[in-house]
Amino acid sequence: MPKDLHTDRDAKIFALYEQLVEIEQRLIPTGLHVFGRPSSAGEKTDLLKMIASFDRPEVGARAIPEELLDDAVRVFLENGVDAAVRLTGEASRPVFNLLETVCTKLQSNNEIDSLVRALRGEYIEPGPGADIIQNPDILPTGRNTHAINPYGVPSAAAFARSEAVANSLLDRYKNENGRYPEAMALVLWGLDNIKTQGEGVAQALWLLGTRPVRDALNRTTSIEAIPLAELGRPRIDVVMTVSGIFRDLFSPTVQLLDKAVRLVAQLDEPLELNYVRKHVLQQVEQDRCDLDDAAVRVFSNAPGNYGTNVNFMVMDSQWDREETLGDLFVTRKCFAYGRDSTGRAFEGREARVAMDRALSRVEATYQNIDTFEIGLTDVDHYFEYLGGVSKAVEKRAKARPAIYLSDSLSREVKIRSLEETVRLETRAKTLNPKWYEGMLKHGFRGVAEIENHVSNTFGWSATADAVDDWVYTEVANTFLFDEQMLERLRDLNPHSAHSLAQRLLEANGRGYWDVEASVLDKLREISRDLEDQLEGVV
Ligand code: BEZ
Ligand code: MG
């Protein structure tokens, strides 16, 4: 075989190998949490391994090396801290001390007791809200979750971590398009920024080429520009759509983000290195508006409102044309937050034209995923936000944006396209027997979860056409065309089984799933049988 054919083949096999390892190593929840029930032994072991695989400077602990992890955690569970330390060395004692605390707290589950006490109007001890792997201090569960001091956001650690994420994101776009994106749209959520102490916020600041400045009381209230020479790249224009929860919890942060944009817009810098300024000046010229209006970049719902409703429209099949979904997103989210040059705050001023203009320049959209518990197809919120904004951009910019997600779960930063993430989620969860068998143990609710995943996947077709045909084909093969499986779903929850069949037919009807007529006939028959069952005909 000629040499270049050989290397080509090797490269392909290596790429395939990497993908298989990625799917294999993907953390997935293998069941639902049952209120009041402590985790099983198996779940506990997996959790401890995850916790032990991250550096924890806050308790002086280094991650246990991957090759020792399985043995070390097993020895720890069987024989305790000292035995485990003998295996891995004295330096890892702090990790095992941490694991011991986690084990003890996992046993003391106060959920039911606390709920009953709360219903009686008693005091419930507070505890931090976070991802268990990122912050094991959330244990024991069953406490009154408290959030965060918004003036502490972004934390120094979150800001430091986010530089690599912003750079990887820009590198990925540049590799695919040969230049930097001039403008990006970011989705910022409240709970995520609580869990990560503001990684999403920090990523936005990095893209703009700014850093937070703390005042004498150590509060993040100000912003400074990172000099272009230090930044080594252009400042990216960033359109931020923040959730209603973010707006409520992070009011000072909303002001900080708006301040960052306005600072950058005023810098005397070459326009090809400062896209914020370039676009703001363009808009002033085009619309004959003032600088204040042209620099609006932080959008959310009207005060007191939450959500985009794009998810409801998709779930209820209440739409004809895709662009309706993007328009709905803008209708719900076109309220501007910030402060003008005279120092007057505006909190939820309707700014539809400003949002249309800002989105019309966007070339890439992005959201940070920060937990293994909830991913792209677990809830309908990712597609309502990231899908919704991407669809809104597509019409206004007259081109579909590149859509990216990051994975700040892994030790290395990983930026994936939306399409790659949907494939990974499908393989790691929806079509993975470990995942769906875990769900099916929960009976009626488990089938509903499977159906939800398929509908949320469909949401990525509707808002971004990001789902391959094979995904729907394999969903049909796995859950409906396998007779034993269909029988189980039918017994446990015929409603969700019926919705699943209908959703697949809708995917075909709307042009997202190209499949032979015989497959559709089979699906229609299954759907009719389920309907008969639901109506009590059989
Ligand atoms: C948030 O934390 O901001 C959020 C939570 C659920 C759905 C959407 C946003
Ligand atoms: Mg397609």
Side-chain angles (χ1 to χ4, degrees), residues 496-536:
S496 293
H498 179 250
S499 306
L500 177 60
Q502 287 297 112
R503 193 64 79 191
L504 290 174
L505 288 167
E506 184 181 3
N508 169 263
R510 292 194 189 267
Y512 303 132
W513 182 28
D514 188 15
V515 66
E516 299 97 76
S518 60
V519 172
L520 296 171
D521 287 341
K522 228 158 67 174
L523 264 181
R524 281 192 203 98
E525 194 184 316
I526 290 171
S527 177
R528 258 196 313 272
D529 285 351
L530 286 162
E531 208 168 292
D532 286 348
Q533 181 183 344
L534 290 172
E535 288 171 358

Side-chain angles (χ1 to χ4, degrees), residues 168-478:
S168 303
L169 186 56
L170 293 176
D171 285 348
R172 168 107 198 215
Y173 185 93
K174 199 160 167 250
N175 284 339
E176 288 172 352
N177 298 278
R179 59 172 177 79
Y180 289 109
E182 291 203 10
M184 295 190 59
L186 265 53
V187 172
L188 296 174
W189 283 354
L191 299 180
D192 296 43
N193 280 283
I194 291 174
K195 284 187 279 187
T196 62
Q197 312 234 351
E199 277 186 29
V201 171
Q203 290 161 6
L205 295 179
W206 274 111
L207 291 170
L208 289 163
T210 58
R211 60 167 73 93
V213 178
R214 292 182 182 249
D215 66 13
L217 298 174
N218 201 29
R219 301 179 318 161
T220 310
T221 48
S222 195
I223 284 289
E224 69 184 19
I226 299 168
L228 282 174
E230 195 181 317
L231 196 61
R233 58 159 170 87
R235 302 184 193 281
I236 312 300
D237 190 356
V238 182
V239 186
M240 291 156 271
T241 45
V242 316
S243 70
I245 297 179
F246 185 100
R247 171 204 59 203
D248 294 351
L249 292 174
F250 287 105
S251 178
T253 317
V254 164
Q255 295 297 333
L256 192 78
L257 290 166
D258 174 73
K259 201 183 245 184
V261 173
R262 286 169 200 282
L263 171 76
V264 169
Q266 283 163 20
L267 295 172
D268 183 12
E269 291 174 340
L271 300 186
E272 69 279 8
L273 291 174
N274 182 334
Y275 297 134
V276 181
R277 184 168 177 77
K278 175 178 172 185
H279 297 154
V280 167
L281 293 181
Q282 258 173 14
Q283 195 171 319
V284 166
E285 171 93 11
Q286 234 172 50
D287 289 355
R288 306 252 157 257
C289 63
D290 59 25
L291 270 170
D292 276 346
D293 285 335
V296 169
R297 292 291 184 278
V298 186
F299 298 93
S300 188
N301 297 85
N305 278 291
Y306 302 84
T308 72
N309 292 356
V310 169
N311 46 340
F312 301 129
M313 201 180 241
V314 170
M315 289 301 173
D316 294 343
S317 309
Q318 295 295 325
W319 53 284
D320 288 328
R321 289 183 312 154
E322 288 173 352
E323 66 173 53
T324 316
L325 301 171
D327 291 343
L328 177 61
F329 181 90
V330 174
T331 302
R332 295 285 298 168
K333 287 283 171 191
C334 66
F335 297 85
Y337 289 78
R339 194 179 289 276
D340 66 20
S341 52
T342 67
R344 199 167 335 126
F346 47 94
E347 303 220 340
R349 185 177 72 202
E350 195 187 356
R352 193 173 182 115
V353 173
M355 189 173 194
D356 281 343
R357 293 283 190 278
L359 293 179
S360 75
R361 291 181 290 254
V362 166
E363 296 177 307
T365 60
Y366 165 75
Q367 185 166 3
N368 182 40
I369 295 194
D370 60 32
T371 166
F372 75 93
E373 286 179 307
I374 299 173
L376 219 50
T377 57
D378 289 293
V379 291
D380 53 5
H381 300 304
Y382 282 108
F383 82 73
E384 69 155 324
Y385 273 86
L386 184 63
V389 76
S390 302
K391 192 46 89 181
V393 167
E394 187 175 328
K395 176 173 161 184
R396 287 153 185 80
K398 300 190 176 60
R400 182 184 186 277
I403 310 175
Y404 298 117
L405 293 125
S406 67
D407 196 332
S408 53
L409 302 173
S410 340
R411 278 187 245 184
E412 307 125 67
V413 179
K414 181 107 195 191
I415 303 290
R416 294 191 184 88
S417 70
L418 172 62
E419 291 79 357
E420 288 163 356
T421 316
V422 170
R423 280 179 210 126
L424 181 57
E425 284 270 308
T426 302
R427 290 188 169 115
K429 287 186 188 154
T430 321
L431 295 175
N432 178 354
K434 278 197 181 150
W435 180 84
Y436 63 72
E437 289 296 345
M439 290 297 147
L440 288 172
K441 285 197 194 112
H442 297 273
F444 184 91
R445 184 65 229 160
V447 186
E449 282 297 319
I450 293 170
E451 190 273 323
N452 269 343
H453 268 250
V454 176
S455 284
N456 294 333
T457 305
F458 172 85
W460 289 113
S461 283
T463 56
D465 197 12
V467 186
D468 302 332
D469 294 292
W470 67 260
V471 170
Y472 295 115
T473 303
E474 288 307 315
V475 165
N477 287 340
T478 306

Side-chain angles (χ1 to χ4, degrees), residues 127-161:
D131 182 279
I132 187 165
I133 292 169
Q134 288 177 20
N135 183 4
D137 280 344
I138 67 159
L139 296 171
T141 55
R143 289 184 292 170
N144 196 359
T145 308
H146 66 70
I148 200 166
N149 167 11
Y151 287 105
V153 163
S155 69
F159 190 70
R161 251 198 317 271

